[in-house]
């Protein structure tokens, strides 16, 4: 282990180097200008060489003005539609991708190998692409989200409600951790900007140079409205004192710091949402019936999480649970792989693992390993005799991959609650699934756990017991390993967060993350009022009928509430027989007279899909016109059976219109029209309901 005297000496050397030469001042971007200061500075050193590289200070920044600037100008972003915001995000992502080599050049100072930096740089940029695509695919091109259909609150249907989500009229403050200075910022600002809310980003001081470079590149594009993105390098000082009820704060970092910020009296006074994603003691579990191949998968996954980013990942595996009988075998295999790791300068070709982010982090990891060693035995690494592949290893923030073994985890405390934020993991045995569940729960809530199993092994019982303690559970076997993104890779589509110690927050999570920055409001009123507010026709609202068939009208000519009431069609026995022959669907309820008589229906009924087909025959206008194609069908329900001799008719109503951007300029401009379909019988009873989507050409 590193000696305390050596730790203090290293810290002293850093201070001496910091004061010996003038350094670059890292600028903040606030109220539309770049701001730096030479007062109250903090010095950041190179993770490999130990040399000072820049200073950081937020001295002189008027935090009240920062908040005011965001709110005064944030209305422009809120007035953009979801698709406008999504296209802006895509343009930003494309620009950042073109600048990526600049970011890779800066990443060396954080101790990262190029492979490690790829996760931060290109992983972050791909998050922007993913969110842009997700929003354009799943949300209408509106300024608000209509969450549900008409909720009738009165007998005759003249009073009801819908829930809408609108952008909060405030600002989101994002406080990020040091380990992913680019991805950590981009994963937060993507859903925030898409929600129409401006951001104030406060990166960790270590790695802030990377965050600043990305913000500078985004600002240079001029794509975002002013005030949409501000950057504070240094302390936030009294920023929280100027936040209000429409604002929110997100935090990624240590649980201690997060709890301290969460308890800020001003945040509590105004019930300002505080979402925390804290470092947690995540687990990997080797299944009880593991075979040799499964054991190798487990070792590979634990090894990858220990050495990727030098173990500086909030999702990294800290506890590895193994059946008692396999503990020695796992230790030997994992130690053998760790012995091949070359820790050192990432610019040296033989290096496979870089340094920690800073000397401060190195001291912290060493102290935490010493704490863990009180309850566990160090079986690999953990001492200063480790050889590093660097010219001056004593100046860098290098730390060896360290594996511990805790023989009696039920009697231990620190191994479940202490996280060494580096290439450190503790092996522990378990005797039964109940014991395993107990041990996992002692982590007090985690971001992620991996369960490595045989392909045909059922681990339902394990999942049921550990799922409540995690934001994500990753099941790995030989089948999924071919394409799995791995234990430690949060994805834009899935929740990134966890309960308890992990902070209780949810970053990412697809559209869920966008909604986090929006206000949910129940809007009550008449069908017409709600149609006006949501731009979506509501049952009971006014309709517009004329002699021109809706399918003869262009996208621009159609109005919300345009309706066609079709002629009737009587369903015959021949219809049912012919449809069965055509489709191959001879289900007894349609074709077997005797069996159908004993069925739920009491007699033969028409195929549901025949009703849908017959309905199309009633409302479609066959002549060439503005309608280009059927784009899809949503929310299909068969409400009542249609029997031989029943007559059906269709109410077709224009429900919603969404313009679509042109990907191919040679194609005609068009939009998506959502039509409300109600199929009724001769007694005016609803027999089927659904939405169809059509591509409709715009006016020339």
């Amino acid at each position: 282990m590193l000696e305390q005297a050596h730790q203090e000496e290293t810290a002293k050397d850093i201070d001496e180097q910091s004061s010996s030469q003038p350094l670059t001042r890292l600028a903040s971007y606030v109220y539309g200008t770049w701001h730096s200061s030479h007062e109250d500075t903090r010095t950041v050193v190179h993770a490999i060489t130990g040399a000072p590289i820049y200073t950081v200070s937020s001295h002189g920044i008027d935090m009240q003005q920062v908040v005011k600037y965001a709110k005064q100008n944030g209305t422009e972003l809120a007035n953009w539609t979801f698709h406008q915001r999504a296209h802006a995000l895509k343009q930003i992502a494309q620009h950042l991708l073109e600048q990526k080599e600049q970011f890779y050049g800066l990443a060396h100072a954080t101790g990262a190998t190029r492979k490690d930096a790829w996760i931060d740089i290109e992983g972050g940029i791909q998050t922007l692409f993913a969110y842009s695509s997700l929003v354009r695919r799943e949300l209408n091109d509106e300024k608000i989200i209509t969450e549900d259909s008409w909720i009738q609150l009165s007998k005759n249907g003249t009073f009801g409600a819908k829930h809408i989500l609108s952008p909060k009229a405030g600002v989101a403050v994002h406080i990020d951790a040091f380990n992913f200075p680019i991805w950590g910022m981009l994963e937060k600002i993507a859903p925030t900007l898409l929600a129409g809310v401006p951001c104030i980003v406060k990166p960790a001081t270590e790695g802030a140079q990377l965050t600043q470079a990305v913000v500078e590149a985004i600002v240079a594009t001029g794509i975002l409205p002013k005030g949409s993105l501000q950057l504070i390098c240094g302390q936030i000082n009294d920023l929280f004192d100027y936040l209000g009820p429409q604002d929110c704060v997100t935090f990624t970092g240590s649980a201690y710091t997060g709890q301290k910020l969460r308890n800020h009296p001003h945040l509590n006074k105004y019930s300002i949402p505080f979402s925390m994603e804290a470092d947690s003691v995540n687990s990997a579990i080797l299944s009880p019936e593991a075979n040799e191949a499964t054991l190798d998968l487990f070792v590979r996954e634990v090894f990858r999480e220990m050495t990727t980013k030098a173990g500086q990942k909030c999702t990294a595996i800290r506890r590895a649970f193994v059946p008692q009988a396999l503990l020695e075998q796992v230790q030997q295999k994992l130690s053998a792989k760790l012995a091949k790791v070359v820790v050192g300068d990432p610019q040296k070709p033989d290096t496979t693992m870089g340094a920690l982010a800073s000397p401060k982090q190195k001291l912290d990891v060493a102290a935490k390993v010493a704490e863990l060693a009180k309850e566990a035995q160090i079986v690999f690494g953990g001492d200063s005799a480790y050889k590093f592949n660097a010219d001056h290893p004593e100046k860098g923030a290098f730390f060896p991959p360290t594996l511990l073994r805790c023989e009696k985890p039920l009697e231990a405390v620190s191994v479940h609650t202490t996280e060494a934020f580096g290439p450190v993991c503790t092996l522990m045995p378990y005797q039964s699934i109940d014991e395993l569940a107990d041990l996992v729960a002692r982590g007090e809530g985690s971001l992620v756990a991996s369960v490595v199993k045989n392909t045909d092994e059922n681990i339902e019982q394990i999942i049921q017991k550990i799922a409540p303690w995690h934001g994500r559970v990753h099941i790995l076997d030989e089948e999924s390993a071919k394409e799995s993104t791995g234990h430690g890779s949060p994805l834009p589509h899935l929740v990134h967060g966890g309960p308890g110690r992990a902070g209780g927050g949810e970053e990412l999570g697809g559209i869920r993350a966008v909604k986090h920055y929006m206000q949910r409001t129940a809007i009550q009123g008449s069908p017409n009022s709600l149609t006006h507010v949501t731009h979506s026709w509501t049952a009971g609202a006014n309709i517009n009928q004329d002699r021109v068939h809706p399918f003869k009208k262009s996208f621009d000519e159609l109005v919300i509430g345009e309706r066609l009431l079709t002629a009737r069609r009587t369903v015959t026995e021949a219809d049912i027989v012919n449809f069965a022959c055509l489709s191959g669907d001879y289900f007894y309820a349609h074709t077997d007279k005797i069996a159908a008589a004993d069925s739920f229906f009491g007699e033969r009924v028409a195929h549901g899909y025949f009703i849908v087909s017959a309905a199309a025959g009633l409302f479609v206008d066959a002549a060439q016109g503005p309608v280009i194609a059927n784009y899809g069908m949503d929310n299909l329900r068969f409400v009542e059976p249609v029997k031989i001799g029943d007559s059906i008719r269709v109410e077709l109503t224009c429900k919603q219109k969404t313009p679509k951007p042109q990907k191919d300029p040679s194609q005609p401009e068009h939009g998506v029209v959502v039509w409300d379909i109600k199929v009724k019988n001769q007694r005016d009873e609803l027999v089927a309901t659904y939405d169809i989507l059509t591509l409709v050409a715009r006016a020339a």
Side-chain angles (χ1 to χ4, degrees):
M1 293 296 301
L2 292 171
E3 298 295 332
Q4 183 66 29
H6 177 63
Q7 296 173 8
E8 294 173 354
E9 182 181 348
T10 303
K12 182 180 178 182
D13 288 345
I14 293 168
D15 290 337
E16 290 175 353
Q17 287 174 315
S18 300
S19 60
S20 63
Q21 54 184 310
L23 299 172
T24 300
R25 297 199 299 265
L26 206 60
S28 299
Y29 183 71
V30 289
Y31 27 86
T33 62
W34 290 97
H35 172 95
S36 63
S37 174
H38 63 275
E39 298 184 51
D40 299 329
T41 59
R42 179 179 167 188
T43 301
V44 175
V45 302
H46 199 291
I48 305 301
T49 67
I53 48 179
Y54 60 84
T55 63
V56 168
S57 174
S58 57
H59 181 82
I61 295 177
D62 184 342
M63 296 300 172
Q64 184 177 18
Q65 180 64 20
V66 172
V67 174
K68 185 178 179 181
Y69 184 79
K71 293 182 180 181
Q72 285 180 335
N73 296 286
T75 52
E76 184 177 351
L77 184 65
N79 283 330
W80 283 10
T81 66
F82 284 109
H83 288 199
Q84 284 177 306
R85 298 171 202 153
H87 282 295
L89 210 64
K90 182 179 179 181
Q91 287 178 287
I92 289 170
Q94 289 170 331
H95 177 72
L96 294 180
L97 204 56
E98 293 168 1
Q99 306 295 315
K100 67 179 183 180
E101 291 306 323
Q102 173 196 351
F103 309 141
Y104 277 115
L106 295 174
H108 176 244
T110 68
T113 65
R114 187 175 179 94
K115 184 179 178 181
D116 293 336
W118 182 92
I119 303 170
D120 188 33
I121 298 168
E122 297 191 52
I125 295 170
Q126 288 303 321
T127 297
L128 298 187
F129 280 121
Y131 261 107
S132 173
S133 176
L134 190 67
V135 162
R136 286 180 285 125
R137 186 172 64 250
E138 295 193 18
L139 297 181
N140 293 316
D141 194 22
E142 299 283 349
K143 299 175 184 178
I144 63 170
I145 298 173
T146 304
E147 268 204 312
D148 44 29
S149 300
W150 169 250
I151 303 168
Q152 188 169 316
L153 301 174
S154 66
K155 181 179 179 180
N156 296 318
T158 59
F159 180 69
K162 290 183 178 181
H163 288 92
I164 68 167
L165 291 163
S166 53
K168 289 189 175 183
V171 62
V173 177
H174 297 313
I175 302 172
D176 299 325
F178 70 85
N179 53 334
F180 288 102
I182 294 179
W183 178 83
M185 174 185 68
L186 296 182
E187 71 155 345
K188 290 188 177 78
I189 71 169
T192 312
L193 295 173
L194 288 168
V197 176
C199 311
I200 299 170
V201 173
K202 192 283 179 205
T205 299
E206 281 83 10
Q209 189 176 32
L210 272 165
T211 310
Q212 191 224 39
V214 172
V215 171
E216 187 174 11
I218 293 173
V219 170
T221 66
I223 292 171
L224 293 174
K226 65 180 182 178
S228 300
L229 180 60
Q230 296 182 84
L231 173 73
I232 298 173
C233 294
Q235 300 299 312
I236 60 171
N237 299 325
D238 58 351
L239 176 67
F240 280 8
D241 292 335
Y242 303 110
L243 299 181
Q246 286 288 303
D247 303 320
C248 61
V249 179
T250 70
F251 169 82
T252 300
S254 73
Y256 173 80
T257 304
Q259 292 295 347
K260 186 176 179 181
L261 293 175
R262 176 181 270 167
N263 291 326
H264 191 284
H266 192 79
L267 300 187
N268 290 326
K269 179 180 179 180
Y270 291 98
S271 299
I272 295 171
F274 186 98
S275 178
M276 183 165 78
E277 192 263 277
D279 305 331
S280 59
V281 191
N282 307 298
S283 306
I285 298 164
L286 183 61
S287 69
E289 301 172 18
N291 57 29
E292 190 70 22
T294 303
L295 191 149
D296 288 341
L297 265 182
F298 178 82
V299 168
R300 187 184 75 181
E301 197 68 11
V302 173
F303 171 81
R304 179 165 61 182
E305 289 302 308
M306 287 182 67
T307 56
T308 299
K309 264 293 213 173
Q312 299 170 109
K313 296 167 65 179
C314 56
T315 52
I317 295 168
R318 306 302 180 192
R319 298 180 296 164
F321 296 105
V322 177
Q324 177 72 62
L326 298 176
L327 185 63
E328 186 65 34
Q329 192 176 356
V330 168
Q331 178 185 320
Q332 291 177 4
K333 284 179 174 283
L334 187 52
S335 297
K337 286 183 72 70
L338 292 173
K340 297 177 182 178
V341 174
V342 178
V343 183
D345 185 344
Q347 292 189 331
K348 291 184 176 293
D350 295 340
T351 295
T352 57
M353 190 182 99
L356 298 174
S358 66
K360 174 186 174 183
Q361 193 63 23
K362 175 181 174 180
L363 299 178
D364 181 71
V365 172
K368 294 294 177 58
V369 169
E371 180 68 21
L372 292 171
K374 295 176 182 178
E375 297 179 342
Q377 176 190 1
I378 297 175
V379 294
F380 185 91
D383 56 53
S384 56
Y386 196 93
K387 301 299 181 183
F388 299 109
N389 186 31
D391 294 336
H392 298 284
E394 73 284 355
K395 296 181 179 180
F398 302 110
F399 198 89
T402 300
L403 182 66
L404 298 97
R405 173 171 169 163
C406 178
E407 293 285 359
K408 298 180 178 180
L410 287 172
E411 300 176 12
V413 176
S414 293
V415 293
H416 303 298
T417 58
T418 300
E419 181 182 28
F421 203 73
V424 180
C425 183
T426 303
L427 285 174
M428 303 182 218
Y430 69 88
Q431 307 288 346
S432 67
I433 290 178
D434 285 339
E435 181 180 304
L436 170 67
D438 177 23
L439 292 171
V440 170
R442 294 187 186 200
E444 300 175 339
S446 301
L447 297 171
V448 56
S450 279
V451 183
V452 188
K453 69 177 188 69
N454 300 336
T455 301
D456 57 351
E457 186 179 357
N458 187 344
I459 57 166
E460 179 183 5
Q461 188 180 0
I462 294 176
I463 300 300
Q464 287 176 345
K465 289 179 180 294
I466 71 170
W469 294 97
H470 296 87
R472 176 166 58 92
V473 175
H474 169 237
I475 302 174
L476 184 66
D477 56 24
E478 286 188 273
E479 181 182 10
S480 65
K482 300 169 186 174
E483 296 184 303
S484 170
T485 52
H487 166 96
S489 299
L491 299 172
H493 312 80
L494 307 178
V495 166
H496 178 42
R501 179 191 173 94
E506 291 185 3
E507 294 183 7
L508 303 184
I511 297 300
R512 291 164 58 98
V514 177
K515 291 180 178 180
H516 175 76
Y517 302 100
M518 307 184 78
Q519 176 61 47
R520 180 178 286 102
T521 308
I523 304 295
Q524 296 174 288
S526 68
N528 281 315
S529 296
L530 268 64
T531 295
H532 295 153
V533 170
T534 63
H535 296 172
S536 178
W537 182 79
T538 303
N542 292 341
I543 59 171
N544 178 53
Q545 289 180 279
D546 59 32
R547 296 182 178 182
V548 180
H549 193 290
F551 279 25
K552 292 184 180 295
K553 296 183 179 182
S554 70
F555 179 88
D556 301 281
E557 292 170 322
L558 283 168
V559 295
I560 302 297
E562 188 109 23
R563 171 171 289 181
L564 172 70
L565 184 62
T566 72
R568 291 187 176 88
R569 171 172 177 166
T570 300
V571 177
T572 66
E573 182 179 18
D575 289 329
I576 295 174
V577 172
N578 289 335
F579 189 82
C581 294
L582 182 65
S583 66
D585 181 355
Y586 292 98
F587 187 64
Y588 76 90
H590 310 308
T591 59
D592 188 329
K593 186 174 183 179
I594 296 173
D598 294 331
S599 73
F600 173 83
F601 304 108
E603 60 182 287
R604 284 175 292 168
V605 295
H607 304 70
Y609 295 110
F610 168 75
I611 300 304
V612 172
S613 300
L618 289 170
F619 67 69
V620 165
D621 182 79
Q624 184 177 0
V627 176
I628 300 168
N630 187 326
Y631 191 58
M633 178 185 295
D634 292 333
N635 308 315
L636 173 61
R637 293 291 183 273
F638 297 117
V639 181
E640 292 289 341
V642 176
K643 300 176 180 180
I644 295 170
D646 283 348
S647 295
I648 60 171
R649 72 187 311 182
V650 181
E651 293 176 3
L652 172 86
T653 309
C654 179
K655 184 176 182 179
Q656 196 166 41
K657 297 166 49 179
T658 303
K660 282 185 72 69
Q662 281 183 283
K663 292 183 179 180
D664 184 351
S666 66
Q667 297 296 320
E669 291 189 43
H670 62 277
V672 177
V673 177
V674 180
W675 305 87
D676 178 82
I677 306 292
K678 288 183 171 57
V679 185
K680 297 183 177 180
N681 62 20
Q682 69 274 17
R683 294 179 293 278
D684 205 36
E685 297 169 336
L686 187 68
V687 300
T689 178
Y690 52 97
D691 293 340
I692 63 163
L693 293 75
T694 58
L695 297 180
V696 181
R698 305 199 66 168

